[in-house]
Amino acid sequence: MTKIIAAEVHDVRFPTAAAGDGSDAINRGDYSASYVELKTDDGLTGAGFTFTNGRGNEITCAAITALQHHVVGRTLAEIVAEPVAFWRSLTADVQLRWLGPEKGVIHMAAGALVNAVWDLRAKAAGVPLWRLLAEMPSEELVRTVDFHHITDAITPAEALEILERGREGLADRLAVLESDGFPSYTTSVGWLGYPDDKVRALTRTAYEQGWRAMKMKVGGPIDDDLRRARIIRAEIGPDALLMMDANQVWDVDEAIANMAVLAEVNPYWIEEPTHADDVLGHARIARAVAPVRVATGEVAANRVIFKQLLQAEAIGVMQIDACRVAGVNEVLAELLLAAKFGVPVCPHAGGVGLCEYVQHLAIFDYLRVGTSLDGRMVEYVDHLHEHFVDPVRTKHGRYLLPEQPGYSTTLHPESIAEYAFPDGPVWRA
């Protein structure tokens, strides 16, 4: 019986700010991971993390440490037997919950631990996480979700119906992924801190490599945004998709006005056009900029925010994040909500290991929940994959199925040692 006997927390940071990688209208950071390893009595290790942007990573590490007593000492069998009770022990800690509730640092730390448990569970089963979830009985999947505060939007009975319907044609959908991979788009071409020549060169290379959907950052001076958008559109032609991401920098009226200008280059979606919590603002923008879609969700704090975005018809694309919310359990709730409301899910990725994480979630969504590739894409950013034992693999702009057991979250020990903050060699130099 697999028992978790210890948790080791690591502050791992990569110096990405200097090159402008990840730069947008608000953020200039060093991609970082608050990384936790769950040690077991049978030698397996479950790995999980939450992503941060540099300074503050020590805070999420401290929060993981503060929550780890809810995990250490438990067996996998105990957790599997009462999955919601386990999840709530982390998200509704009677004292730490006050710092949220169910949002921010504590929720992200809970997600790191929950995801580490799922990595451990998939490794113990000897399968990649997407397969563990896709082959799980519908009743067990429903039993994994905390429906508290979302039953006005979806009930357990409705979720069970969606998942049972998802069993039909599963083998055929899996064959499609095995043959073709999962559709993707790249954000590597259009960081806001990149000069025009670099944007042009990266876009041209990405197109040659098979990418037919690309995303750029906007939110600087509108004339600069339009100039850079014209460069990308000229390189990719009229038929490829061009998405835009404002990273919450605009007010509602400003977003509407700026998108009227940027409409010239035919954007497919505008991502995070205003404050992430402004559900009604997103709804107003969505009505004003149609047929351009509004996309958001990478910093949506929890399933309740997603519920409201869907109920308000505020988004045409839902972007889940693997570790902003409290791990796989909560993501399952979000995928089911999206299916209920008929909104496609395009997961947020990039950063440290987010591509590794969300490929599993998108694959499961297609196989058992959404059951369609129409409008579905996983974000891809070509940064830091070499630090993972089981990195993402892409071909012709599509993700290939992960094959190794687990959640693809395990970092190489050498990478942990080299980039540990503040004492790793990279940071002492």
Side-chain angles (χ1 to χ4, degrees):
M1 182 178 295
T2 301
K3 182 177 182 179
I4 300 165
I5 58 174
E8 296 180 4
V9 183
H10 306 273
D11 185 338
V12 183
R13 308 187 193 188
F14 299 91
T16 54
D21 297 341
S23 57
D24 55 51
I26 292 179
N27 303 293
R28 300 288 192 280
D30 292 318
Y31 280 174
S32 304
S34 299
Y35 182 78
V36 59
E37 296 176 296
L38 300 180
K39 306 293 185 178
T40 66
D41 60 354
D42 59 7
L44 288 175
T45 297
F49 57 87
T50 193
F51 167 69
T52 79
N53 209 31
R55 287 190 302 275
N57 202 50
E58 72 279 5
I59 301 173
T60 42
C61 285
I64 293 170
T65 300
L67 287 167
Q68 68 181 22
H69 68 280
H70 292 295
V71 180
V72 175
R74 296 201 186 200
T75 66
L76 270 185
E78 291 169 350
I79 292 170
V80 170
E82 297 290 344
V84 172
F86 165 69
W87 190 78
R88 286 182 180 173
S89 73
L90 292 162
T91 61
D93 177 288
V94 293
Q95 295 182 356
L96 292 174
R97 184 182 183 275
W98 190 264
L99 302 181
E102 293 189 38
K103 63 175 70 72
V105 168
I106 295 297
H107 213 51
M108 293 164 69
L113 287 162
V114 169
N115 286 337
V117 168
W118 279 99
D119 179 56
L120 185 62
R121 187 171 172 181
K123 287 174 178 173
V127 296
L129 180 74
W130 64 264
R131 185 178 292 277
L132 177 72
L133 293 171
E135 295 178 350
M136 196 173 287
S138 300
E139 293 81 3
E140 186 173 356
L141 286 166
V142 171
R143 199 167 52 81
T144 299
V145 175
D146 187 351
F147 287 91
H148 194 206
H149 295 136
I150 62 171
T151 53
D152 57 319
I154 188 169
T155 65
E158 289 172 323
L160 182 63
E161 182 181 352
I162 290 169
L163 290 163
E164 279 294 283
R165 194 162 58 241
R167 297 175 69 90
E168 301 169 8
L170 188 154
D172 293 336
R173 290 191 294 278
L174 179 56
V176 169
L177 296 184
E178 290 173 335
S179 172
D180 302 336
F182 197 98
S184 179
Y185 70 91
T186 180
T187 306
S188 299
V189 303
W191 298 115
L192 206 61
Y194 286 175
D196 289 358
D197 288 346
K198 185 171 184 177
V199 170
R200 182 179 291 105
L202 289 172
T203 302
R204 186 171 299 175
T205 298
Y207 192 87
E208 291 171 352
Q209 292 173 342
W211 302 98
R212 293 297 181 267
M214 306 185 196
K215 189 170 79 180
M216 62 175 292
K217 298 293 184 174
V218 296
I222 188 61
D223 291 343
D224 290 348
D225 288 344
L226 181 59
R227 184 190 71 254
R228 294 167 60 255
R230 285 170 171 166
I231 290 171
I232 297 173
R233 178 56 77 190
E235 291 294 332
I236 66 177
D239 297 327
L241 299 181
L242 173 58
M243 287 81 78
M244 297 177 173
D245 185 355
N247 289 99
Q248 311 166 47
V249 74
W250 294 329
D251 283 351
V252 172
D253 290 333
E254 187 180 14
I256 294 169
N258 286 341
M259 288 310 298
V261 174
L262 294 168
E264 174 193 317
V265 295
N266 190 27
Y268 180 68
W269 78 48
I270 177 60
E271 182 175 333
E272 291 196 315
T274 194
H275 194 287
D277 295 341
D278 189 354
V279 173
L280 298 182
H282 277 89
R284 184 163 160 243
I285 294 167
R287 291 192 297 270
V289 306
V292 177
R293 298 155 180 80
V294 168
T296 195
E298 71 181 71
V299 297
N302 51 53
R303 66 204 181 284
V304 180
I305 294 292
F306 279 110
K307 177 190 76 169
Q308 294 175 72
L309 288 165
L310 293 165
Q311 288 173 326
E313 299 181 351
I315 51 174
V317 177
M318 191 166 112
Q319 295 174 306
I320 60 168
D321 185 278
C323 56
R324 168 70 61 172
V325 298
V328 172
N329 302 58
E330 191 160 30
V331 169
L332 294 180
E334 294 161 3
L335 295 177
L336 289 162
L337 281 165
K340 165 75 181 293
F341 283 84
V343 173
V345 175
C346 296
H348 165 245
V352 179
L354 298 184
C355 297
E356 278 71 19
Y357 260 147
V358 298
Q359 59 181 337
H360 292 268
L361 304 173
I363 292 164
F364 163 72
D365 180 40
Y366 172 54
L367 293 177
R368 285 293 299 276
V369 187
T371 67
S372 172
L373 292 180
D374 185 27
R376 272 74 170 181
M377 298 174 282
V378 178
E379 185 171 18
Y380 176 76
V381 180
D382 189 17
H383 299 319
L384 306 174
H385 303 298
E386 67 274 15
H387 299 289
F388 286 86
V389 172
D390 183 23
V392 294
R393 299 172 299 128
T394 62
K395 184 177 181 180
H396 303 312
R398 300 171 81 93
Y399 277 79
L400 303 181
L401 289 175
E403 298 174 349
Q404 294 186 27
Y407 201 175
S408 304
T409 46
T410 302
L411 283 169
H412 288 293
E414 299 81 6
S415 294
I416 298 172
E418 185 173 0
Y419 293 93
F421 187 87
D423 298 323
V426 166
W427 296 108
R428 289 202 309 267

